[in-house]
Amino acid sequence: MKQFDVVIAGGAMAGMTLALALNQSSHGRLSIAVVEPYQTNHQAHPGFDSRSIALSYGTVNILKQLSLWNEIQDVATPIHHIHVSDRSHLGMTDISSDEVATDALGYVVELADVGRIYDELVAQCGNITLFCPQSVNQVTRHIDRVTISLESGEVIQGKLLVAADGAISTCCQQIGLTMSEHDFFQVAVIANVSIDQAHNHRAFERFTDQGPIALLPMSDQRMSLVWCLRPAQAERVLQLEDNAFIDELQQAFGWRLGRFTQVGVRASYPLLLRYREQNVSHRFAIVGNAAQTLHPIAGQGFNLGIRDVVSLAEEVSQSLTDPGSYTVLRRFKQRREEDRRSTIELTSSLVHLFSNDYLSLQIGRNVGLAMMDNIAVLKQPLLQRTLGLVVR
């Protein structure tokens, strides 16, 4: 039976970042196993598919601390300006890197690129063992260790098991940790789109009565689109021919980026808040989407997950002899409580505030956006969250 200090279930963004963070923070002294069901062919891997994500300024600083940013920076597109507006109304606000004296507010990366980079980095770490394609079948906890039976019949053990295996976490189900779920009754339609003018590293979040439209700058004058719609509308839009899809997107978003000229392969997923209040148990911790899956509004979900990951790695580095001890897990739980609660409340409130057409809320949110654009002190909380500069 193979023995490890830490076993990570899930080898997508959260799991692989954690493995590399643990390796870096322990200076290679921890033995780490990563159990991942999908082959690391990133065209097929659901954790490293064609989607893009926005890394906040704070997340980039974390990746720098973990010595991961140099490799990722080469495939990242900087965001210099964020424009937030409410469709058909006057309320809007702008955030630029100049006003916060940073090189960029954040960066956009394609998940497939990050997956390839992580593969190369993990291959260089002799203390990280990848079990792939493998999945967790059964979890048995003991006083000083966890036994994990894999689907192949192989059995491994660790002092700590970390669930990074997505919102519908097999490990959490095995442990018996309950999950709360709230349906926003929206579907995210995602695609890459091309435009006929330079995006100039601008990102957009445009609120409509259906839900927000987010557009993030990418290489080659492409934009990464996340278009939140009610389920019936999303189903209809997904069936449109490319030209009809572009026309409808143009009408919904407007002309701030000029004309949309091309759309790539489209995909969709339902938008739910999934949240496990208990993020630790005996010799067990949860990070990433297994701990919380958020609405993509304001781009908070992945950045919150990275703060989970690095916080756990820091706590484990204080107790390398027993990374799954009660003391380590208690400290991790306590330091993550406020950030998790605040971020979940923020994203859920924004969805309910901006995804409807009630007159009273229209007036309130547009006054709020206008005031933020003109009064610096009101803009500060938005800036802090946008930049990911929060206490963890």
Side-chain angles (χ1 to χ4, degrees):
M1 189 183 300
K2 294 180 180 177
Q3 306 281 337
F4 299 92
D5 293 311
V6 181
V7 177
I8 302 168
M13 282 294 292
M16 282 300 202
T17 305
L18 177 61
L20 292 165
L22 288 169
N23 178 64
Q24 196 270 349
S25 63
S26 70
H27 304 287
R29 287 180 287 171
L30 288 173
S31 58
I32 303 160
V34 179
V35 181
E36 171 53 44
Y38 292 91
Q39 287 280 13
T40 50
N41 170 1
H42 302 299
Q43 297 303 316
H45 194 304
F48 291 115
D49 57 19
S50 59
R51 289 173 298 164
S52 297
I53 54 171
L55 308 177
S56 70
Y57 175 81
T59 293
V60 169
N61 285 339
I62 289 171
L63 294 174
K64 288 177 180 178
Q65 294 168 21
L66 300 176
S67 301
L68 297 176
W69 179 242
N70 282 344
E71 286 76 11
I72 295 173
Q73 185 174 12
D74 291 339
V75 298
T77 301
I79 300 171
H80 294 153
H81 185 98
I82 299 174
H83 180 82
V84 182
S85 61
D86 195 3
R87 181 174 178 265
S88 301
H89 301 95
L90 295 177
M92 63 181 66
T93 190
D94 289 285
I95 304 170
S96 73
S97 53
D98 291 338
E99 67 182 288
V100 292
T102 62
D103 292 336
L105 297 169
Y107 292 80
V108 181
V109 295
E110 296 182 62
L111 289 174
D113 288 333
V114 180
R116 173 181 50 78
I117 291 167
Y118 277 5
D119 261 4
E120 295 169 359
L121 292 174
V122 167
Q124 299 168 20
C125 300
N127 58 314
I128 300 178
T129 303
L130 185 61
F131 292 84
C132 178
Q134 291 272 27
S135 55
V136 173
N137 184 46
Q138 187 172 358
V139 175
T140 306
R141 293 183 290 175
H142 315 276
I143 291 176
D144 59 349
R145 66 194 187 283
V146 183
T147 301
I148 301 103
S149 301
L150 305 180
E151 288 288 350
S152 63
E154 190 170 2
V155 179
I156 60 177
Q157 287 189 332
K159 297 174 184 175
L160 171 65
L161 171 62
V162 182
D165 52 345
I168 309 301
S169 167
T170 300
C171 291
C172 291
Q173 291 171 350
Q174 284 277 329
I175 298 295
L177 295 187
T178 58
M179 178 178 69
S180 300
E181 184 173 292
H182 172 73
D183 192 339
F184 292 111
F185 299 103
Q186 292 178 358
V187 171
V189 175
I190 59 174
N192 294 334
V193 295
S194 298
I195 52 178
D196 70 352
Q197 63 177 239
H199 56 55
N200 294 323
H201 301 283
R202 291 174 294 167
F204 293 83
E205 183 124 40
R206 188 153 175 77
F207 298 110
T208 76
D209 58 350
Q210 292 274 324
I213 302 173
L215 284 158
L216 302 174
M218 299 171 65
S219 60
D220 303 321
Q221 291 311 312
R222 296 174 300 152
M223 303 292 288
S224 173
L225 168 69
V226 180
W227 189 1
C228 301
L229 295 161
R230 296 193 183 104
Q233 282 288 88
E235 185 176 355
R236 182 186 62 78
V237 163
L238 286 165
Q239 302 304 316
L240 294 174
E241 295 292 331
D242 286 359
N243 288 338
F245 179 91
I246 288 170
D247 288 344
E248 191 143 339
L249 174 62
Q250 194 85 64
Q251 183 177 3
F253 177 75
W255 294 88
R256 289 182 182 277
L257 279 166
R259 183 180 296 279
F260 295 107
T261 59
Q262 191 174 356
V263 59
V265 176
R266 283 165 263 168
S268 67
Y269 58 93
L271 296 177
L272 306 167
L273 168 62
R274 290 183 168 124
Y275 173 64
R276 288 183 171 89
E277 185 170 354
Q278 188 176 344
N279 65 342
V280 299
S281 185
H282 176 64
R283 299 208 167 266
F284 184 73
I286 318 173
V287 296
N289 283 344
Q292 63 272 319
T293 304
L294 309 186
H295 191 288
I297 195 170
Q300 294 292 312
F302 174 75
N303 296 292
L304 175 62
I306 287 294
R307 297 197 291 271
D308 287 344
V309 162
V310 74
S311 298
L312 180 59
E314 288 171 351
E315 294 303 335
V316 166
S317 69
Q318 302 300 312
S319 182
L320 296 180
T321 56
D322 189 3
S325 70
Y326 170 79
T327 302
V328 168
L329 296 177
R330 178 175 54 83
R331 289 199 305 255
F332 169 66
K333 180 180 187 298
Q334 289 175 344
R335 71 182 287 184
R336 296 304 302 137
E337 283 176 344
E338 176 59 25
D339 185 18
R340 293 180 74 214
R341 182 190 60 78
S342 298
T343 306
I344 289 168
E345 288 179 356
L346 169 70
T347 55
S348 297
S349 298
L350 286 174
V351 175
H352 293 300
L353 177 61
F354 283 98
S355 295
N356 62 72
D357 233 8
Y358 294 127
L359 180 61
S360 58
L361 290 180
Q362 283 180 33
I363 295 170
R365 70 199 185 205
N366 280 275
V367 168
L369 286 172
M371 290 178 68
M372 277 195 293
D373 204 41
N374 291 284
I375 304 175
V377 70
L378 296 179
K379 201 173 187 177
Q380 199 61 30
L382 176 64
L383 280 172
Q384 293 296 105
R385 283 287 163 185
T386 300
L387 293 171
L389 299 177
V390 296
V391 176
R392 58 173 180 78

